[in-house]
Amino acid sequence: KSVNVPNFSVGENKDKNIYYYNTQEQQFDLSLLTNADFEPVADGETVEIAGTTYTSQSKATEIGTYYIILQLKDPSNSMWSNGSISNQLFEWKIEKGTPTIKELPVASELSNRNTLGDATLSGGKMIVTNSLENEYEVEGTFTWKKPETVVFTFDSDRTLFDIVFIPLEEDKFNTVTASITIKVLQKQLT
C-alpha cells in the first residue's frame, strides 16, 4: 500500500503548518498527522536524511522551521509514495507575528500648513493574543508614514493620515499601518 506524506500547501489543511509568533510556546496539532497508516514519533527522536540529522519537535516558541518525524504504522504492508519505508519529515513553521491595535496613538495639534512630522504621536498600544486569549503588549513606536505631508485647516479631525507601528523586536513582529486624524488650528501655535 502506498502512503503519502501530508501536504499542507493545498486542500483543507492549507497553511495549517504555519503558526505566528505570539511570545508563548505553541504546539502543532498532531491529530493532523495521525491516521490509519502513519503517526508521529515522540518529540526528541531523531532521523538522519541525506547526511543531516533532524529532531522531532512538535512544540516551539521562537520563529523558525521545525520538523515532526512520521513513521509508518505497518511498514511490512505499506510504504511511502516515494518507495521508502524509512521515517519521513513533516515541516512546520513559526513565522513573524502581526500585532493588533488595542489603542491608537493621539497626535498633538498642528497649525495650518505645518507638516505631519511637526506633530508628536503619543500613547497607543499594540498587542498579540495567544491561543488561550491572553494578551501581550508589543513594544515599539508609532511614526508618520509620510511625515512631509502638509496639513491644512480643512483636514482637521476629518482627513485620515497613515501612521506606522514599528515593533522593537522587528525580527519577531511585522510592522502595522493604521490611520488617524489630527486637529489642525488656523492660528500658529506658540
Side-chain angles (χ1 to χ4, degrees), residues 100-188:
T100 56
I101 299 167
K102 182 79 173 185
E103 297 170 19
L104 284 169
V106 176
S108 60
E109 295 178 341
L110 285 177
S111 292
N112 190 40
R113 299 179 191 266
N114 281 126
T115 63
L116 289 175
D118 295 325
T120 304
L121 294 170
S122 58
K125 184 176 182 180
M126 300 295 285
I127 60 166
V128 289
T129 306
N130 69 12
S131 60
L132 300 174
E133 300 301 318
N134 296 322
E135 293 181 355
Y136 297 90
E137 187 169 353
V138 178
E139 298 294 324
T141 57
F142 288 94
T143 62
W144 294 106
K145 187 171 185 179
K146 295 182 179 178
E148 72 281 2
T149 302
V150 176
V151 296
F152 301 93
T153 52
F154 60 78
D155 290 315
S156 188
D157 295 323
R158 178 169 59 211
T159 304
L160 289 171
F161 297 102
D162 288 340
I163 56 172
V164 179
F165 174 76
I166 302 170
L168 185 63
E169 295 180 284
E170 289 185 79
D171 58 324
K172 295 182 179 180
F173 296 104
N174 293 308
T175 59
V176 176
T177 301
S179 299
I180 63 171
T181 60
I182 189 167
K183 181 127 184 118
V184 182
L185 306 174
Q186 181 65 40
K187 62 181 181 356
Q188 290 285 47

Side-chain angles (χ1 to χ4, degrees), residues 78-117:
S78 60
M79 71 176 99
W80 297 106
S81 57
N82 65 7
S84 169
I85 60 169
S86 299
N87 291 347
Q88 300 290 301
L89 289 179
F90 175 81
E91 180 181 290
W92 69 286
K93 299 176 181 184
I94 296 178
E95 296 183 348
K96 287 171 79 170
T98 300
T100 56
I101 299 167
K102 182 79 173 185
E103 297 170 19
L104 284 169
V106 176
S108 60
E109 295 178 341
L110 285 177
S111 292
N112 190 40
R113 299 179 191 266
N114 281 126
T115 63
L116 289 175

